[in-house]
Amino acid sequence: MTDRSRAALLIAPAALFIVAGFLLPVGVLLMGGFRDGAGAWSLARYVEFFATPLHVETLWRTLRLGALVTIASAIIGYAAALAIVDSSPSSRGRYIGLFILPMMISPVARTYAWVVLLGRTGLVNVLVLKLGLSDEPLRILFTETAVFLGLVQLFLPLMVLSLVSALENLPPDVTAAARLLGASWLDVFLKVILPLTREGLAVGGVLVFTGAITAYITPAVLGGSKVLMLETLLFQRVSVANDVVTASVIAMLLIVMSYAANALLRRVASVRKA
Amino acid sequence: MRSWGRITLALVLIFLIGPFAIILAAGLSDGETLAFPPQGISLRWVLAVFELESFRASFALSLVLATASTMAALVLGTPVAYALDRYRPPGAIAISALLTSPLVVPGIIVGLALLRHFVIPLGVGVTTALFLAHTALLIPYAARVVSASLANLRVDIEEAAILLGASRPGAFFRVVLPNIRSGVLAAFILGFITSFNQVPVSLFLSGPGVSTLPIDMLSYMEFTYDPSIAALSAMLALMSVAIVLVAERLLGLSRYV
């Protein structure tokens, strides 16, 4: 047996499984979005989708929250990653562990913690009432703020871990040299650290952005029906109206957006194609 | 500089991990409704979780599903990792793209597609569809973690075994597999946790009496505002932390993440 046929034999079962159990059903579903009521090829479903104000509003909110969550994660992520890389080697491992840990915990539990914090009788409102900042509990749950907080907490570790590995590859004397030559701390960050770690930033950015736009639990629990995002809209369209076609249009948009974010961020970071 | 770094890290970690302290406390509350700070301390809601029949059933299903689909993903994914690493076949990039495609498509769509094309027309059971969907999702994880440990294994020990007369499969099972077992175990743990916590893929794939634990929790949360979900969330979080800590001690799990 040649190496080539051995390789084919080893790969075939998984490839067949993915094609039959995943690609085919998903492909058929996605194709449904490109047919009209009579079964002919058409873009009518997409035209309809963009003609519905609720859908466009949801798409816009998804993009906006995705972008905001990515930016916030990048800012907090750099602060945390720089501090981790700066700490002693023994505590570095422990800090990285503390960032990996939440990723292993059920997103339902992680999201539910925010319900306890932000709800009418939650910690934030208890403090607000005690301090006399407001006469009645603030409505934070079921707002975009709540969804934003939940998404940042969910995806921040991905950004931190990818920035840490980028910063670890940065020769330490480069920043020291820039400091010695009189650059301010901000200059060192903007002109030395940022350009040299942009690859890690792009990888983290893609993970956070695509994670945020395709998240389901966080918008469902913290946003409810008031703050729809594409995934929650998709679920609602199918479960309430049995509207599978709109669902397939949304799915296609999410896939295209994920690929676009990937291509865009990689271009911004001018990462060489591997 | 270091003290600023410590303060920054402390704040970020409070944001990241602090909420767990909150659910832990809320789950130990004695009150009727969810509140913070909790009214009194008791194990009342922790015990209440065990009383709920639906949680017991969905916990059992999640456990079986996570075990079965992770095993299947490892059985299918390990040969791929091996073939890509050792034979470097033409089209390796296309093969990797095909095998990681389940990570690109939103999970909710995978579940919906299987419902529409297997469950409804072919009468395939919901549990079987759940198994298919979870396995497809886990194959990329399994293949990636196993290939990471294969990359660290020297090829010559396997070649030595073959020169000494072992067959290729024999060399794999008696030389390669024992040497990458911690990687395979790490892949199992990561796959198990991923499947156990999975929501979007399972969202449409539940029938009467068939629901995974996270889905069951989500629907319970919609209608009830008592501390039982906080108690259950806290228990699940502690379970994950325990698994990860033990795995980190035994295998260095973080090398594979």
Side-chain angles (χ1 to χ4, degrees), chain B residues 67-82:
Chain B
T67 310
S69 50
T70 309
M71 301 274 254
L74 274 171
V75 168
L76 290 168
T78 305
V80 177
Y82 182 83

Side-chain angles (χ1 to χ4, degrees), chain A residues 157-214:
Chain A
L158 295 173
M159 179 65 91
V160 172
L161 294 175
S162 93
L163 286 179
V164 165
S165 55
L167 284 168
E168 276 176 342
N169 292 329
L170 184 75
D173 19 351
V174 174
T175 48
R179 286 291 279 165
L180 273 176
L181 292 171
S184 73
W185 196 90
L186 188 69
D187 270 342
V188 174
F189 180 75
L190 290 176
K191 294 186 178 151
V192 179
I193 296 176
L194 197 60
L196 289 174
T197 53
R198 62 194 174 193
E199 195 169 330
L201 180 64
V203 171
V206 168
L207 292 174
V208 173
F209 181 80
T210 54
I213 61 171
T214 59

Side-chain angles (χ1 to χ4, degrees), chain A residues 27 50 92 102 136 162 190:
Chain A
F50 285 104
R92 189 183 292 191
E136 50 184 297
S162 93
L190 290 176

Side-chain angles (χ1 to χ4, degrees), chain A residues 60-119:
Chain A
W60 174 230
R61 179 184 295 121
T62 305
L63 285 171
R64 185 175 61 225
L65 274 169
L68 287 174
V69 169
T70 309
I71 293 167
S73 304
I75 294 170
I76 306 171
Y78 262 114
L82 282 168
I84 290 177
V85 175
D86 197 41
S87 62
S88 67
S90 63
S91 46
R92 189 183 292 191
R94 221 172 311 134
Y95 284 131
I96 292 174
L98 281 171
F99 278 91
I100 292 176
L101 206 55
M103 301 204 304
M104 299 295 149
I105 293 175
S106 161
V108 174
R110 286 207 262 170
T111 306
Y112 195 63
W114 290 104
V115 176
V116 183
L117 260 171
L118 305 176

Side-chain angles (χ1 to χ4, degrees), chain B residues 151-233:
Chain B
N152 293 327
L153 181 70
R154 293 170 54 140
V155 187
D156 23 357
I157 61 158
E158 184 188 347
E159 278 165 359
I162 291 167
L163 277 176
L164 292 170
S167 66
R168 279 206 167 258
F172 177 80
F173 284 107
R174 297 177 66 177
V175 177
V176 177
L177 204 54
N179 275 297
I180 59 166
R181 62 169 184 262
S182 64
V184 174
L185 207 54
F188 183 84
I189 290 165
L190 291 176
F192 182 89
I193 292 177
T194 306
S195 164
F196 196 87
N197 292 335
Q198 171 59 42
V199 166
V201 164
S202 321
L203 209 52
F204 286 117
L205 298 174
S206 52
V210 182
S211 178
T212 62
L213 187 62
I215 303 289
D216 215 18
M217 286 169 76
L218 279 177
S219 47
Y220 187 86
M221 273 154 64
E222 257 183 83
F223 303 109
T224 350
Y225 203 62
D226 68 35
S228 60
I229 291 290
L232 181 52
S233 294

Side-chain angles (χ1 to χ4, degrees), chain A residues 218-242:
Chain A
T218 304
V221 173
L222 300 178
S225 55
K226 297 239 167 54
V227 189
L228 282 178
M229 282 176 72
L230 285 176
E231 286 260 320
T232 37
L233 177 69
L234 191 165
F235 180 72
Q236 216 185 50
R237 290 310 303 159
V238 176
S239 61
V240 176
N242 199 21

